[in-house]
Amino acid sequence: MMSTRRHILCIWLFINSSIFIKRAAAFSTAAKQQAVIPPGILGPPEPLKSLQVGQTLNAFRLVVDDDDDRVDFSIERVANSPHIFLLRNFLTSSECNQIQALAEEGGMKTAETVTKGDTSSRKNCSVAWIPSSGPDGSSLVSGLVASTVNIFLSDVVKSRPSAGVENMQILKYGVGGEFVHHQDGDARVLTVIYYINGVGGTWFPLADRNGGEIPKNKAGVLELVENLEPGKHGIFLKGDISNSAQEGNNNMHTVLVNKGDAVAFYNYRDEGSAQLDWAALHCGSPTDETKWIANHWYRLNELANY
């Protein structure tokens, strides 16, 4: 990777985050609105946009319940296509434990996909949903949303009436658990995955692919990735950093993650076509130990009209 260039980026809470979150309740109405999607708004804003692979920003976020406390973390670009950023130490160990406890206290059910009743695409997995706002929400969860919006979404997206965030999804994978290749899409501009116990396994088989155009449909990309392998192709986010540091440092296709890290990536092309970026195809590889992760999806519902 290229030599690291470090910057200081102060991350404050997005002032209108409560407005942004509340829009999630109006998805069905907002999705019917027609609007032009100009180029340059569905990807990362500056200063993230100018980062090269391997370059890092130093940042911090304020803890919602304690104005005198803050969490220091770093943001590293790990791929250009799609735009993928690794957030090191975005969550504290205590916050990871709190998210896991929220899921267990609320009760977990067998995980399905967006296709109701589909439990075969995601195997040996249970799920809980935590509100991202409102009286039943967690200040930790809403604080993560506010910080993420401030860092990763363009001003244009934040101002759109159809913008919003889904509830936090918390997943527990048992041994052998996996989620097959998929593209988050469905008007989801940005995905953030939090690594709650340091077990990774997220693989982007087509990330920064050299040679040949990537098909623009699911059937084509699934055929393309059939003979590819994690750690040899694309970008594979693997945990944990304490046990495999040497392996990751010597492999350009492997990025090591630890408890409290997060990965953020963009699901749409940003040249004005408003089309899915199939380089963002990814999967949760089979795990040989219990894995806890959580997800946030940030939406721009007018994309459903394209």
Side-chain angles (χ1 to χ4, degrees), residues 62-70:
L62 300 179
V63 177
V64 174
D65 291 332
D66 188 347
D67 292 337
D68 296 324
D69 198 7
R70 74 183 205 180

Side-chain angles (χ1 to χ4, degrees), residues 13 17-18 20-21 61-65 90-91 94-103 128-134 136-149 165-170 192 194 196 294-298:
L13 296 183
S17 62
S18 60
F20 179 87
I21 294 170
R61 61 178 177 84
L62 300 179
V63 177
V64 174
D65 291 332
F90 190 57
L91 292 166
S94 175
E95 288 173 331
C96 289
N97 295 341
Q98 183 179 341
I99 290 173
Q100 183 174 329
L102 286 171
W129 297 89
I130 304 299
S132 292
S133 66
D136 296 325
S138 158
S139 60
L140 167 58
V141 174
S142 61
L144 292 175
V145 169
S147 294
T148 301
V149 166
V165 62
E166 297 182 32
N167 289 336
M168 174 181 274
Q169 181 192 59
I170 307 174
V192 179
Y194 311 94
I196 302 303
N295 304 312
H296 261 134
W297 289 293
Y298 296 83

Side-chain angles (χ1 to χ4, degrees), residues 3-118:
S3 59
T4 300
R5 180 184 68 191
R6 294 192 174 273
H7 303 262
I8 300 297
L9 178 66
C10 298
I11 304 302
W12 300 95
L13 296 183
F14 175 50
I15 295 174
N16 293 320
S17 62
S18 60
I19 300 174
F20 179 87
I21 294 170
K22 289 176 183 177
R23 290 175 184 155
F27 280 173
S28 59
T29 300
K32 298 178 182 178
Q33 298 180 355
Q34 291 283 351
V36 175
I37 303 295
I41 72 165
L42 299 181
E46 295 292 359
L48 296 180
K49 185 176 181 179
S50 297
L51 278 185
Q52 302 298 310
V53 171
Q55 293 183 336
T56 302
L57 293 170
N58 290 332
F60 70 85
R61 61 178 177 84
L62 300 179
V63 177
V64 174
D65 291 332
D66 188 347
D67 292 337
D68 296 324
D69 198 7
R70 74 183 205 180
V71 175
D72 295 295
F73 62 97
S74 64
I75 308 170
E76 178 185 353
R77 181 188 281 274
V78 297
N80 288 310
S81 177
H83 300 289
I84 305 177
F85 297 91
L86 179 65
L87 288 70
R88 290 269 185 219
N89 302 310
F90 190 57
L91 292 166
T92 66
S93 178
S94 175
E95 288 173 331
C96 289
N97 295 341
Q98 183 179 341
I99 290 173
Q100 183 174 329
L102 286 171
E104 293 175 327
E105 291 169 3
M108 305 190 75
K109 301 178 180 179
T110 300
E112 300 178 353
T113 66
V114 291
T115 302
K116 187 172 180 59
D118 176 16

